[in-house]
Amino acid sequence: METYSRTKSVWQRMNRQEREAAVQYCEGYKDFLDHCRTERLAVKRIMKEAEDRGFHLLSAHQPLKPGDRVCLNQKGKSAVLAVIGRKPLTEGLKIVGSHIDSPRLDLKANPVNEQDGIVYFRTHYYGGIKKYQWTCIPLALIGVVYTRDGKKTEINIGMDPSDPVFCISDLLIHMAQDQMKKTLADGITGEQLQAIAGIHSEDSQKPKEAVMALLKEKYGIEEEDFTSAELELVPADKSRDAGLDRSLILSYGQDDRVCSYANLTAILNAEPGEYTQVALLTDKEEIGSYGNTGMESSYFTTFVKELLIAAGSYGPAALEKTLAASEVLSADVNSCLDPMFPEVTEKDNSALLGYGICVTKFTGARGKSGSNDANAEYLSKIRGIFNEAGVPWQIGELGKVDQGGGGTIAFMMADWGCEVVDCGTAMLSMHAPMDLVSKADAYTTYLAYKAFFESR
Ligand code: MN
Ligand code: MN
């Protein structure tokens, strides 16, 4: 297949079998999207699939030999999977780093608020969102609550079609003349992002007491338990095929589960290689990678250190040597040309929807500020891998020179001295409650990561 083209889409270039394989792959991807709405649910699924395919927790697997499959579960919110290669670890790892958290609305520590007979859950949004987009859509409440005696209760309300959902109201158009004059940034405020939790009460009960009684009865939760809970409101609608031709997937959370599912599927299916393959599926990217489940944490490098110890290759500077010799794909989504908003992109350097996995030399904006800016030598190597394996790929920058911007985990991994390039799926409506991805691009992302894992 022609691997690089800006005039022929991937679908045009594929033969019948390839198209069928892409559609088939996307059925699995949609199932992943519908069951992994949060980073915790994603890790559960990832660990289950890894276990089924012969991965063991690293601590339970020593000494390591080529072909061994080991994994790490970082506090139920990040995961790392590794397949040991034939070469010594110190010659470097092949790492694909993606993230499994997505923008959403988190419940505050004291969320329950009754106002004029309506009970609300107050929220603080997580990641970058256009707040007005999160009103008037069905929301599911997912997460964990610890009761006073330390018992963990898992909550998942709204994803089952028979469940109730939550919703944030917006002002009716008839009375919105003042609101309509506000900017999109101010039309709905953070304080207004409160989801309705109920209005009913019986006898002399107040609505808030009735809602709390329901929570107590169904989940054993008291109001104080919210103070030590992690509850996320996420869009409740399941993923759907979009377009008459079913060419697209419309779903919540495709940033960055489109790359994460490709990363997981690639490491599960790749032939064990010369080099050790590592799928890193991290949390907290959307809020700057902080916290002990994010990329700024040392959990990943500690995992690599433990790999070295288990393989009997740990010694002076072994960790630093291993990381510096590694090659990394920073697997995160990119924007693409949106014909409805042509003013923000420069056509010839923007990714195109349906034209394959997108390689981005630099992110950042206004003088490449904050960008990893990959080396020509490494870009050339990646280009060679994709061309040789028949993987359709394209280039794409993140908006016009002084327009775009946005970071990934690339620069944090580049701190190790390894080669890193941003390489992920281009999408429309990124960070909206439902974003849009081309099926051909989603499938190509998987092919790209698999080819990278198997490369020399
Ligand atoms: Mn992302
Ligand atoms: Mn994002």
Side-chain angles (χ1 to χ4, degrees), residues 99 255 285-286 430-431:
H99 70 91
D255 173 8
E285 193 280 338
E286 295 296 357
M430 192 193 295
H431 284 211

Side-chain angles (χ1 to χ4, degrees), residues 66 83-95 273-278 304 307-308 311-328 378 381 416-419 452-453 455-456:
V83 180
I84 307 303
R86 291 181 285 274
K87 283 184 187 285
L89 291 165
T90 45
E91 291 196 24
L93 316 169
K94 298 266 183 191
I95 304 168
E274 288 292 311
Y275 294 92
T276 294
Q277 304 158 346
V278 183
V304 176
L307 276 183
L308 285 160
S313 351
Y314 190 62
L319 175 64
E320 290 77 2
K321 259 165 72 182
T322 303
L323 291 172
S326 292
E327 292 180 347
V328 181
Y378 185 51
K381 183 170 180 181
W416 307 329
C418 55
E419 295 288 358
F452 172 75
F453 279 139
S455 67
R456 285 167 180 266

